[in-house]
Amino acid sequence: MARLNLLLLLAVIATALYLVHTQYLSRQLYTELDRSQQEARRLELDHDRLQVEKRAQATPLRVEKLAKEQLQMRTTTPAITQYVRPDGTVIPAVVAPPAPAVATGPAPKPVARAQR
């Protein structure tokens, strides 16, 4: 009977130690889960903040300002637009008007008209 009691005592002690170890591991896992959830919340807030900053940086006015100032770009006009054909020839978008004739003499004076 003493052997049976000793065997049962050892079994109770072993299961108690196993239970303590399991609870310890469970608490560690729960702590790690909580840390991971906090990190996920922090990353989500950072992501939202960065999305707002990205939208603020990509406004059309800001992009246009940077293109003009830093890249020395200008808006297109028909006067500077050229179209390229598949064979490689270039076609201007607008045909330039003929150059005005240069007068060699003095410019005519405007005539004042009398008002009635």
Side-chain angles (χ1 to χ4, degrees):
M1 185 70 117
R3 285 188 181 174
L4 181 62
N5 286 341
L6 185 61
L7 184 63
L8 289 175
L9 179 64
L10 288 175
V12 168
I13 290 174
T15 54
L17 288 175
Y18 180 73
L19 179 65
V20 168
H21 179 70
T22 304
Q23 285 179 342
Y24 174 75
L25 289 178
S26 173
R27 286 188 184 118
Q28 275 186 328
L29 290 173
Y30 181 77
T31 302
E32 181 142 353
L33 175 68
D34 189 47
R35 279 191 208 128
S36 297
Q37 287 174 342
Q38 287 176 355
E39 180 73 9
R41 280 189 293 260
R42 186 187 65 78
L43 289 173
E44 189 174 329
L45 287 173
D46 283 349
H47 179 264
D48 291 342
R49 180 183 54 82
L50 290 172
Q51 289 293 336
V52 168
E53 286 180 16
K54 178 182 170 184
R55 276 187 240 118
Q57 296 291 319
T59 59
L61 290 176
R62 184 175 185 282
V63 171
E64 186 175 345
K65 179 182 173 188
L66 288 175
K68 285 182 180 178
E69 292 175 359
Q70 294 180 358
L71 302 175
Q72 286 86 35
M73 296 177 82
R74 58 185 179 186
T75 55
T76 60
T77 61
I80 62 172
T81 303
Q82 295 180 345
Y83 296 102
V84 180
R85 289 185 178 157
D87 62 358
T89 58
V90 177
I91 308 167
V94 175
V95 178
V102 178
T104 56
K109 294 182 181 177
V111 179
R113 296 185 185 195
Q115 293 184 4
R116 297 181 200 205

